[in-house]
Amino acid sequence: MASGSPDDYYLLLGIEPDADAAQLRRAWRRLALRWHPDRAGPAATARFQSISAAYAVLSDPAARAAYDQLRAPAAAQRPAPRSPSAPPPKERAPSVMLSRQTGSLTALLAQGVARRAESGVIELFLNAEEAAQGGMVSVSMRVAALCPDCAEGDSSSCARCKGTGATDELFSAWLAVRPGVKDGAMLAPSAQLPGVVQEVSFRIRVRGAR
């Protein structure tokens, strides 16, 4: 895993190996907002998956310690840094999609893969193998968001929201499920839809867990 390798999670997030949790979060939020496919387009999906998988590992202390141990031998053999003018290495997504949990929320609810819990919380069901493997999940749904045409004015005359002050918007929630995720773990989407009335979060349920 030499410097510049597509699997170098620190390089993907643009942070130093000794970065603390606050620096990691700031880097993740900046990149997630920039590369979320809802904002950057479908072509950004692979890059978004890469940085999401990197954050899922580095934000977990035990997973980060294990990753650092694997990374250390290769780090001692790193080549000289690239020239600033050299093109960046081609990235690939080191994480897989959890296809059973990916899709429209309506379909996932009908299939029993998801269910609504308390207000603003959606539960996703994984089997033991999926929980051990981890991966990426994308759930599309409709959410209420503040109407951009009348957010700072009188909504009663707004044609877009018909006076309600909110509109029904399509939102793709991207989640990085870390390997070995536990039953009951709470996950937040990488980025919430701007102006969303109620933020959405997810609770992982592992079938057979006690």
Side-chain angles (χ1 to χ4, degrees):
M1 191 186 305
S3 177
S5 162
D7 286 336
D8 191 323
Y9 291 165
Y10 294 104
L11 181 64
L12 287 175
L13 295 177
I15 58 174
E16 295 296 326
D18 60 353
D20 60 23
Q23 292 171 317
L24 176 63
R25 281 194 300 272
R26 285 195 296 270
W28 158 245
R29 289 172 180 170
R30 173 176 54 82
L31 291 171
L33 287 172
R34 178 181 178 185
W35 294 106
H36 194 292
D38 280 358
R39 173 173 293 188
T45 299
R47 188 179 184 111
F48 183 78
Q49 287 179 327
S50 295
I51 62 174
S52 296
Y55 180 72
V57 171
L58 298 185
S59 62
D60 180 84
R64 181 172 180 174
Y67 171 76
D68 286 344
Q69 286 184 342
L70 293 174
R71 181 178 179 274
Q77 303 175 8
R78 288 175 181 170
R82 299 189 322 272
S83 165
S85 61
K90 183 179 181 181
E91 296 176 1
R92 64 177 174 83
S95 182
V96 299
M97 291 297 295
L98 294 178
S99 57
R100 246 183 12 102
Q101 292 77 21
T102 293
S104 71
L105 178 59
T106 300
L108 297 178
L109 292 171
Q111 295 164 10
V113 178
R115 74 179 175 193
R116 294 186 182 275
E118 60 267 30
S119 180
V121 177
I122 297 167
E123 293 187 329
L124 290 178
F125 293 93
L126 279 65
N127 58 37
E129 181 180 354
E130 291 164 338
Q133 170 186 270
M136 296 299 302
V137 170
S138 177
V139 180
S140 59
M141 66 192 78
R142 290 281 178 179
V143 297
L146 297 177
C147 177
D149 289 353
C150 62
E152 298 180 358
D154 181 13
S155 63
S156 61
S157 59
C158 179
R160 182 168 181 172
C161 67
K162 297 180 171 47
T164 64
T167 57
D168 191 34
E169 302 290 342
L170 180 63
F171 171 53
S172 296
W174 283 80
L175 307 171
V177 181
R178 66 176 180 81
V181 65
K182 301 299 183 184
D183 180 65
M186 296 296 297
L187 300 179
S190 61
Q192 296 281 353
L193 188 72
V196 66
V197 174
Q198 182 177 49
E199 293 190 350
V200 180
S201 60
F202 293 79
R203 181 183 293 120
I204 298 298
R205 289 300 185 191
V206 182
R207 300 282 191 185
R210 296 185 179 182

